């Protein structure tokens, strides 16, 4: 203790007291005094300098870099001069597509301008067509040529044609689809079935109906067989491609365990692809309903298609055409709702 009354501390304790009065921030590595006591001075200074240089390089702005050298740009991405990544790249397929669409648009405009409309003024005819469409959509009704029970009966006849065609076509297409799948059948049978189905799909449905109308006469039989050909060809392609996407390991495991061909199909293929099969079948059912309406008058199959033909081409009644169109739209909406409900209940849950 000094004469003035103060206490004299040892050197180490005085340094600690000064440090307590003027605290310094500690680094994550520990106390600076420990580092100075145990680490050499020169290596620490050089290491710190190298670390600061690395940090400075990381924080250096990338404006002086070329866009393709910027580490922030993904590999293979195309950038503008300002460094922005291009989201739309003019590749050869895109350019070819745009040129094709442009040529088709020019040809369409040229055809409409140079077409010989005869004595019918195009502007007035177009306005009249729009007026008829508005009348058909806004004022549907019956004019005495049909009764509402007759129209509803015709609607169910068309639905029955579509349902029968879809059911028979789905059964036939399931068997042919299994034989057409390359992982379930030999290559020769698969290729032969695929070629035959391609030929059947190439012929429009209306031509199949006309062919069988001449062969077996007008009636629902010609309509069903004509619709059946295109339905089978369509579903065989859809089913076979779905079957070919089954994991090969599952099929090989079942075969290695001694499973027969049908056991492989019903234990490994069908459970995995039943959702896709139902989806394709519902889509084809909607298509068959539209085709049944279209060929109702052509094949003499009756149904709402024949009534639509009479209302539009024989009685020239726009109001009855509008009512029939609304009934067809209602059926399409109901089919879509039913397909969605069944998908959520039996497909999504399982």
């Amino acid at each position: 203790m000094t004469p003035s009354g103060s206490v004299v501390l040892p050197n180490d304790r005085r340094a600690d007291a000064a440090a307590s009065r003027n605290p310094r921030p500690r680094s994550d590595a520990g106390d600076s005094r420990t580092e100075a006591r145990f680490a050499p001075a020169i290596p620490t200074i050089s290491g710190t300098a190298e670390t600061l240089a690395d940090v400075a390089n990381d924080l250096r702005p990338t404006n002086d870099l070329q866009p393709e050298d910027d580490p922030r740009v993904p590999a293979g991405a195309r950038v503008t001069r300002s460094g922005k990544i291009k989201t739309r790249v003019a590749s050869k397929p895109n350019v070819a597509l745009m040129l094709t669409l442009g040529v088709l648009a020019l040809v369409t405009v040229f055809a409409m301008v140079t077409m010989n409309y005869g004595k019918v003024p195009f502007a007035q005819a177009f306005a009249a067509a729009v007026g008829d469409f508005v009348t058909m959509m806004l004022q549907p009704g019956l004019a005495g040529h049909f009764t509402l029970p007759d129209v509803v009966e015709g609607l169910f006849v068309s639905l029955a044609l579509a349902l029968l065609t879809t059911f028979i076509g789905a059964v036939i297409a399931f068997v042919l689809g299994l034989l057409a799948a390359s992982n379930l059948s030999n290559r020769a049978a698969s290729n032969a079935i695929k070629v035959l189905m391609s030929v059947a799909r190439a012929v429009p449905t209306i031509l199949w109906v006309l062919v069988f109308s001449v062969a077996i006469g007008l009636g629902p039989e010609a309509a069903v067989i004509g619709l059946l050909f295109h339905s089978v060809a369509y579903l065989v392609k859809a089913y076979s491609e779905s079957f070919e996407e089954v994991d090969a390991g599952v099929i090989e495991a079942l075969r290695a365990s001694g499973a027969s061909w049908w056991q492989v199909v019903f234990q490994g293929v069908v459970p995995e692809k039943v959702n896709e099969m139902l989806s394709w079948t519902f889509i084809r059912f909607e298509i068959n309903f539209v085709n049944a309406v279209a060929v109702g008058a052509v094949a003499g199959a009756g149904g709402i298609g024949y009534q639509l033909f009479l209302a539009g081409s024989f009685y020239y009644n726009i109001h009855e055409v509008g009512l029939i169109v609304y009934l067809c739209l209602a059926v399409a909406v109901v089919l879509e709702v039913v397909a969605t409900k069944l998908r959520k209940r039996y497909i999504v849950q399982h």
Side-chain angles (χ1 to χ4, degrees):
M1 179 179 296
T2 61
S4 60
S6 61
V7 179
V8 178
L9 299 175
N11 292 333
D12 294 341
R13 298 185 63 182
R14 280 183 291 177
D16 294 339
S20 62
R21 289 195 300 269
N22 299 314
R24 290 178 299 177
R26 294 187 177 182
S27 61
D28 295 336
D31 194 351
S32 61
R33 291 185 291 108
T34 304
E35 295 177 357
R37 184 179 302 172
F38 293 100
I42 294 177
T44 304
I45 295 174
S46 61
T48 305
E50 292 177 358
T51 305
L52 293 176
D54 294 339
V55 173
N57 289 331
D58 294 338
L59 297 178
R60 180 170 57 87
T62 57
N63 294 333
D64 56 343
L65 293 177
Q66 296 296 327
E68 59 272 10
D69 298 332
D70 194 337
R72 297 173 299 178
V73 177
R78 299 186 181 182
V79 296
T80 61
R81 292 182 179 179
S82 61
K84 297 180 179 180
I85 300 177
K86 293 182 179 180
T87 57
R88 296 182 181 179
V89 181
S91 59
K92 291 183 179 180
N94 292 338
V95 173
L97 178 61
M98 297 304 297
L99 289 176
T100 303
L101 294 177
V103 170
L104 292 176
L106 290 177
V107 171
T108 302
V109 173
F110 177 78
M112 294 185 65
V113 172
T114 59
M115 185 181 296
N116 183 13
Y117 296 99
K119 298 180 180 180
V120 179
F122 178 78
Q124 297 181 4
F126 182 78
V130 173
D132 291 340
F133 181 79
V134 172
T135 302
M136 180 178 64
M137 293 289 101
L138 298 182
Q139 301 178 7
L142 295 174
H145 303 103
F146 309 106
T147 61
L148 186 59
D150 293 338
V151 176
V152 174
E153 180 183 357
L155 181 65
F156 279 100
V157 168
S158 298
L159 275 173
L161 289 175
L163 182 61
L164 183 63
T165 303
T166 305
F167 177 75
I168 299 175
V171 173
I172 298 175
F174 176 72
V175 178
L176 293 180
L178 293 174
L179 298 177
S182 59
N183 56 346
L184 298 173
S185 178
N186 60 73
R187 186 174 298 273
S190 175
N191 292 335
I193 294 175
K194 289 180 179 178
V195 170
L196 291 177
M197 295 300 103
S198 298
V199 174
R201 284 194 308 272
V203 180
T205 304
I206 189 66
L207 292 183
W208 284 117
V209 174
L210 291 176
V211 167
F212 287 101
S213 296
V214 174
I216 62 178
L218 297 175
E221 296 84 1
V224 170
I225 297 176
L227 293 173
L228 190 62
F229 264 76
H230 206 277
S231 297
V232 171
Y234 180 92
L235 291 176
V236 165
K237 179 178 177 60
Y239 289 171
S240 62
E241 291 181 354
S242 298
F243 297 155
E244 290 175 349
E245 295 175 357
V246 176
D247 187 8
V250 176
I251 298 177
E252 292 298 330
L254 289 172
R255 289 174 177 173
S257 63
S260 63
W261 187 80
W262 286 109
Q263 288 175 337
V264 171
V265 169
F266 287 105
Q267 298 296 328
V269 177
V270 174
E272 185 175 348
K273 295 299 178 179
V274 64
N275 55 348
E276 296 184 19
M277 293 172 59
L278 290 177
S279 298
W280 285 114
T281 305
F282 266 101
I283 291 174
R284 190 62 212 184
F285 179 57
E286 295 177 3
I287 296 174
N288 284 338
F289 174 72
V290 176
N291 290 333
V293 174
V295 304
V298 177
I304 200 170
Y306 183 66
Q307 296 170 345
L308 180 62
F309 168 76
L310 292 178
S313 300
F314 189 77
Y315 299 122
Y316 299 104
N317 192 289
I318 301 297
H319 305 283
E320 291 179 340
V321 172
L323 178 62
I324 295 174
V325 168
Y326 272 116
L327 289 176
C328 294
L329 291 176
V331 171
V333 172
V334 171
L335 291 179
E336 184 66 25
V337 172
V338 171
T340 304
K341 295 292 184 181
L342 290 177
R343 183 178 180 83
K344 289 182 178 180
R345 182 172 181 179
Y346 295 104
I347 298 178
V348 176
Q349 292 183 358
H350 298 287

